[in-house]
């Protein structure tokens, strides 16, 4: 996964959110051994990664063709909690002026269940106060992609779907001065620009969580 500030548009519909400045890399990892990652351990505890919940997380090799090692959440179900999440703290607070537009991009796939009990996998964005700002949801039961804001209204369908077992390129662009975000999957914008917060929560970036 990669995080960058500024940069060029990944999709034409994202252009209004992006500044005309060179990108600055905030954080990047490919989860490889030369970066200090080992498949013998959980992802949490390596290179600053943390977790909440009791479900499985770790590293595998060869799940994404040609990508080497990858991080995962899954295999062991969370119990007794109903979720597990992993993240690496970013703590951009306040968001620097030159990094006021941040793009998160990740190569991802959802591997189908082997017992027909299909769950949801999400990317959730939090501020440094621990408030969840918004979520992008991949429902493995329906293959639908949904989003949720911090307005308590639950999830809204984007009208787009993903494919189980297929590799997708996800990008989420956040324009903090404008309080807007937008996501694209493999170059297709999933929504119109949406509010980062609807509740006047602090507009900064604490972490981006992978959630099961």
């Amino acid at each position: 996964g990669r995080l960058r500030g500024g940069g060029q548009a990944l999709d034409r519909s994202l252009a209004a959110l992006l500044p005309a400045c060179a990108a600055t890399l905030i954080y990047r990892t490919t989860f490889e051994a030369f970066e200090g990652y080992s498949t013998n351990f959980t992802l949490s505890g390596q290179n600053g990664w943390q977790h909440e919940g009791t479900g499985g997380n770790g590293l595998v090799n060869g799940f994404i063709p040609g990508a080497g090692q990858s991080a995962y959440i899954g295999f062991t179900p969370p119990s007794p909690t109903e979720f597990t999440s992993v993240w690496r703290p970013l703590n951009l607070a306040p968001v620097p002026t030159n990094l006021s537009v941040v793009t998160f991009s990740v190569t991802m796939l959802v591997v189908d269940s082997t017992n027909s009990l299909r769950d949801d996998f999400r990317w959730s964005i939090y501020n440094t106060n621990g408030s969840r700002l918004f979520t992008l949801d991949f429902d493995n039961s329906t293959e639908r992609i949904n989003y949720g804001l911090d307005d308590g209204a639950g999830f809204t369908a984007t009208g787009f779907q993903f494919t189980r077992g297929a590799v997708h390129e996800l990008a989420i662009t956040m324009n903090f001065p404008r309080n807007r975000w937008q996501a694209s999957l493999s170059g297709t914008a999933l929504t119109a620009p949406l509010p980062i917060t609807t509740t006047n929560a602090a507009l900064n970036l604490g972490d981006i969580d992978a959630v099961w």
Side-chain angles (χ1 to χ4, degrees):
R2 295 171 297 278
L3 279 171
R4 64 186 184 187
Q8 297 179 342
L10 299 173
D11 185 277
R12 286 186 179 180
S13 63
L14 300 175
L17 294 182
L18 290 164
C21 64
T24 298
L25 185 66
I26 299 170
Y27 175 75
R28 181 181 189 272
T29 185
T30 56
F31 301 106
E32 294 295 344
F34 70 84
E35 296 173 297
Y37 291 97
S38 172
T39 57
N40 295 324
F41 305 102
T42 61
L43 172 63
S44 179
Q46 299 192 61
N47 290 346
W49 285 85
Q50 302 177 19
H51 81 284
E52 184 177 2
T54 56
N57 71 89
L59 295 112
V60 290
N61 199 349
F63 266 49
I64 297 177
Q69 292 186 175
S70 304
Y72 72 84
I73 50 174
F75 291 118
T76 305
S79 177
T81 62
E82 296 181 354
F83 75 96
T84 190
S85 60
V86 295
W87 70 92
R88 187 184 186 279
L90 298 167
N91 296 327
L92 288 178
V95 177
T97 302
N98 64 321
L99 301 179
S100 60
V101 179
V102 176
T103 296
F104 164 71
S105 60
V106 63
T107 301
M108 60 166 283
L109 79 161
V110 176
V111 178
D112 197 13
S113 170
T114 58
N115 61 8
S116 299
L117 299 176
R118 296 187 170 110
D119 300 318
D120 287 72
F121 297 90
R122 300 170 179 170
W123 295 101
S124 291
I125 285 72
Y126 288 81
N127 66 18
T128 56
N129 296 332
S131 298
R132 183 173 58 196
L133 300 171
F134 63 89
T135 292
L136 197 64
D137 172 71
F138 293 78
D139 184 343
N140 196 34
S141 296
T142 62
E143 295 182 282
R144 293 174 180 168
I145 304 172
N146 312 296
Y147 70 87
L149 305 178
D150 63 353
D151 55 6
F155 284 104
T156 300
T158 65
F160 291 91
Q161 292 183 275
F162 67 97
T163 302
R164 300 185 189 104
V167 177
H168 295 289
E169 301 292 336
L170 173 67
I172 300 174
T173 297
M174 294 160 276
N175 187 315
F176 287 94
R178 292 186 56 195
N179 186 29
R180 288 293 181 270
W181 70 275
Q182 191 172 29
S184 67
L185 193 70
S186 301
T188 298
L190 300 177
T191 68
L194 296 165
I196 295 175
T197 178
T198 66
T199 63
N200 202 32
L203 277 168
N204 58 53
L205 181 60
D207 45 85
I208 299 172
D209 296 25
V211 184
W212 175 14

